[in-house]
Amino acid sequence: MTVFRGIAHVYGDNIDTDRIIPGKYTKTLDVQTLAAHALEDLDPAFASRVRLGDILVAGHYFGAGSSREQAALAIKAAGISVVIARSFAGIFYRNAINIGLPLVEAPDHAILNGHQVWVDLGQGLVIDETAGCIYRATKMPPVMVAILRAGGLVNYLRQYGSYEAADRV
Amino acid sequence: MGQTIAEKIVSRHAGRQVMANEIAIVAVDGAMATDATAPLAITAFREMGGVRLWDPSRVVLVIDHAAPAPNEQVGNLHTLMRAFGREMGCVLYDVGEGICHQLMVEYGHVRPGQLILGADSHTPTYGALGAFAMGVGSTDLAAAWLTGQTWLKTPASIKIVLSGQLRPGVSAKDIILFLVKQLGTDGARYQAIEFTGTAIRELSLASRMTLANMTAEMGALTAFVDLQGLELPYQFDVVQPDPDAVYSTVYSFQVDDLRPQVAIPPAPSNVVPVDEVAGTPIQMAFIGSCTNSRLEDLHAAAAVLRGRKLAPGVRLIIAPASKQVMMMALRDGTMAALLEAGASFITAGCGPCVGTHQGIPGDDENVITSTNRNFRGRMGNPRANIYLAAPAVVAASALRGVITDPADVL
Ligand code: SF4
């Protein structure tokens, strides 16, 4: 669950939530609708090109803007297994972990589009296999690791009932 | 060691002394969700096994983002929220009451020193009342509904000292646009901002909300506006930072010479003084949003437009922050003055701010708006260009049909 391998789809800096999923598509509980419009204004071909297990790669401040959890849901439902960025916006980072979409902050990665990438969440490593480069990931707070391990915040609370109970485990 | 406001409020809610970067489990005093975020939160709450809210009187639902419903799909989401609200016995503000953040302040759901979660990124607006308010997503909010708690990494703090006095016609919006440019869109990422200084003392609660509101555009987790000079209809404790509190950065700005500012597309940090873009033609103007649609904002627009007419080919749409704001504008003649000038009023709520309905711009149109985000596609059309400004600038631009410094028409 903590190791991923896939093809990288690489984008730039400051990709905001309106570009991940425009506000006009967010008024739904159907994740397939979200997936169909993921990154639409940034790259209209994204939804049709991405294959299950692929990896989304971005520069600085990925997920800026709105608190819409639909942004993380859209990426996950599109088939992305893990998102790598140089940095993330705070609310997006929490949302992704909460819905069970793994994220890796690798501040100095230089992964190229189409490359085969390998991620080991436990070790905090990101490897661009095609280029033969290894990058270190920033450490995730333990509470987030626990939420991600449970498969998201819903399962975490279903399992433990409260944050405090989980803290004592 | 001395504590910042953020460290003090987090410590109180964690029941132990907490400093920046420490993870804490905290009790929350209130939790707000809108029609953009509540439906997913309701689903998550049920999946968590939620049956009852931890405290229904502290849970607020607001139908504002797409209100009235533009289609059956959204209509059904509103129905789902109303049913949940009835079942749980929580507070629900329905279509037309106004924008979530305005209602939280207007109806007293936020008090100084409290810790509030809102499933909306502009939740830091409540820092105008000295509350620690942070935006979260739907699942985090559902967890708070269930447990009355959340977890957070205590933010480091930035202090911004604003001194001097604004010129007439220059407003809090111009200050915050200027600051977003100075700090950048992630310049305060995951930090708390404390605003203080002599320039704050003169500001109304509405202006302080404008200031705190757009700290979201600098990536801030939360913000606090110094409470000095603020009068509230109830007794309150002021949470003061300790004199030896530690800040990651301290900025000082003099506001005396500040001119009206405009953010040019497609980022809220692309800010220039109005004269650098003056003359740019506009087709649509909007006064609305949690940033700027309170009574003083409508007054600023009416001061420009009273007894005059919008430029031909320009439409001005106005969505007041709340029904109460609309009633006050109705009673004091502001609404009549704006309608006579050619403006259209729509339901109090988010309106076209988030691009769902009630005024989507056409391809290649230029829009000047008092809102907070000009990302591509924000107002529903990725081929439109969005300029952000204060209400006075929006009104002056609607009057002339080109981006205009209000000083030129007042
Ligand atoms: S007015 Fe705009 S920014 Fe404010 S809460 Fe509504 S959609 Fe969000």
Side-chain angles (χ1 to χ4, degrees):
Chain A
M1 195 240 105
T2 60
V3 175
F4 305 91
R5 191 160 183 256
I7 299 296
H9 298 262
V10 182
Y11 299 95
D13 293 337
N14 296 315
I15 294 167
D16 58 75
T17 49
D18 279 283
R19 312 202 85 194
I20 298 172
I21 184 79
K24 61 188 171 192
Y25 300 125
T26 56
K27 313 290 183 295
T28 178
L29 290 171
D30 174 29
V31 293
Q32 286 320 314
T33 307
L34 299 175
H37 296 288
L39 300 182
E40 182 177 280
D41 287 345
L42 180 70
D43 176 3
F46 176 79
S48 57
R49 206 177 50 235
V50 68
R51 296 283 164 266
L52 190 66
D54 281 359
I55 294 176
L56 184 62
V57 180
H60 285 290
Y61 207 39
F62 185 79
S66 150
S67 66
R68 63 184 72 138
E69 203 162 286
Q70 290 90 337
L73 284 169
I75 292 170
K76 190 180 179 202
I80 292 294
S81 59
V82 55
V83 184
I84 303 168
R86 295 209 179 107
S87 66
F88 291 93
I91 303 179
F92 178 83
Y93 194 86
R94 280 183 81 124
N95 284 348
I97 302 299
N98 284 344
I99 62 139
L101 171 67
L103 300 181
V104 185
E105 190 176 81
D108 45 28
H109 86 74
I111 298 167
L112 295 177
N113 199 33
H115 281 193
Q116 180 85 25
V117 173
W118 198 85
V119 174
D120 186 330
L121 278 186
Q123 303 282 327
L125 285 181
V126 175
I127 301 172
D128 181 336
E129 293 185 336
T130 313
C133 295
I134 302 183
Y135 306 103
R136 260 220 175 274
T138 313
K139 238 178 130 209
M140 199 180 269
V143 55
M144 283 194 147
V145 175
I147 292 170
L148 198 54
R149 198 169 289 142
L153 187 54
V154 166
N155 288 338
Y156 174 91
L157 284 175
R158 209 161 40 192
Q159 209 170 318
Y160 301 110
S162 76
Y163 291 103
E164 275 159 347
D167 225 26
R168 283 192 292 270
V169 173
Chain B
M1 202 159 85
Q3 288 188 303
T4 61
I5 299 176
E7 288 165 337
K8 284 193 177 180
I9 298 180
V10 172
S11 296
R12 281 184 197 178
H13 289 80
R16 65 187 174 91
Q17 172 104 347
V18 182
M19 302 303 283
N21 298 318
E22 271 181 69
I23 305 266
I25 296 167
V26 289
V28 305
D29 296 307
M32 187 283 296
T34 73
D35 50 335
T37 49
L40 274 176
I42 292 168
T43 310
F45 179 75
R46 305 255 196 232
E47 285 174 5
M48 285 168 187
V51 183
R52 253 172 283 107
L53 300 173
W54 108 96
D55 183 348
S57 70
R58 292 173 183 273
V59 171
V60 179
L61 303 178
V62 185
I63 299 179
D64 62 348
H65 273 58
N71 56 44
E72 63 186 82
Q73 185 186 330
V74 175
N76 288 333
L77 294 177
H78 291 173
T79 304
L80 171 80
M81 279 176 77
R82 292 183 190 111
F84 183 79
R86 269 195 308 274
E87 181 190 336
M88 297 291 156
C90 64
V91 183
L92 184 140
Y93 294 106
D94 214 315
V95 173
E97 286 292 338
I99 302 169
C100 54
H101 305 307
Q102 178 68 15
L103 299 177
M104 288 294 283
V105 171
E106 225 170 60
Y107 287 103
H109 297 295
V110 182
R111 294 285 167 98
Q114 286 188 330
L115 196 150
I116 310 276
L117 290 195
D120 188 274
S121 57
H122 288 98
T123 303
T125 308
Y126 320 152
L129 285 177
F132 185 114
M134 71 182 222
V136 293
S138 301
T139 304
D140 266 324
L141 197 85
W145 286 351
L146 187 72
T147 64
Q149 293 180 321
T150 195
W151 71 270
L152 53 79
K153 185 167 101 181
T154 311
S157 296
I158 292 173
K159 188 197 282 265
I160 300 181
V161 185
L162 299 167
S163 51
Q165 209 173 1
L166 288 173
R167 296 187 194 196
V170 181
S171 69
K173 178 62 163 288
D174 300 303
I175 300 181
I176 194 66
L177 284 174
F178 173 79
L179 292 174
V180 173
K181 180 195 171 103
Q182 298 306 313
L183 273 76
T185 45
D186 68 345
R189 189 163 68 99
Y190 211 81
Q191 301 205 49
I193 295 180
E194 291 183 11
F195 290 102
T196 187
T198 50
I200 305 287
R201 224 172 281 161
E202 307 290 316
L203 297 181
S204 64
L205 175 60
S207 290
R208 292 169 195 233
M209 288 171 75
T210 303
L211 211 55
N213 177 274
M214 282 193 72
T215 59
E217 275 57 63
M218 306 189 256
L221 178 79
T222 192
F224 305 97
V225 185
D226 196 331
L227 294 179
Q228 58 173 326
L230 189 66
E231 281 179 29
L232 294 173
Y234 47 81
Q235 292 277 316
F236 60 96
D237 265 347
V238 178
V239 181
Q240 296 275 17
D242 290 325
D244 56 343
V246 177
Y247 295 90
S248 58
T249 322
V250 178
Y251 296 93
S252 294
F253 296 102
Q254 192 70 36
V255 303
D256 303 80
D257 296 329
L258 190 71
R259 301 210 130 268
Q261 307 282 310
V262 177
I264 56 183
S269 57
N270 277 348
V271 175
V272 296
V274 62
D275 32 291
E276 283 185 33
V277 274
T280 307
I282 55 121
Q283 291 78 38
M284 174 173 159
F286 176 54
I287 295 176
S289 86
C290 50
T291 313
N292 280 119
S293 58
R294 286 171 277 275
L295 191 63
E296 68 177 28
D297 302 315
L298 303 187
H299 284 168
V304 170
L305 290 168
R306 185 171 279 112
R308 295 157 142 178
K309 290 277 179 226
L310 300 184
V314 172
R315 54 196 190 277
L316 168 61
I317 297 166
I318 303 178
S322 67
K323 188 169 274 175
Q324 291 194 36
V325 167
M326 205 162 182
M327 285 295 288
M328 290 187 282
L330 183 67
R331 291 209 180 98
D332 74 5
T334 304
M335 227 173 132
L338 291 166
L339 284 166
E340 273 161 14
S344 306
F345 276 79
I346 57 172
T347 310
C350 299
C353 173
V354 68
T356 312
H357 67 152
Q358 289 189 321
I360 313 284
D363 287 1
D364 303 317
E365 282 195 317
N366 293 338
V367 183
I368 188 147
T369 163
S370 73
T371 54
N372 45 49
R373 289 190 177 137
N374 56 351
F375 301 140
R376 205 174 299 292
R378 170 69 182 183
M379 294 183 88
N381 184 344
R383 287 164 299 277
N385 309 305
I386 309 169
Y387 295 80
L388 307 177
V393 179
V394 174
S397 307
L399 178 69
R400 287 276 180 85
V402 295
I403 295 180
T404 300
D405 183 342
D408 295 345
V409 297
L410 277 170

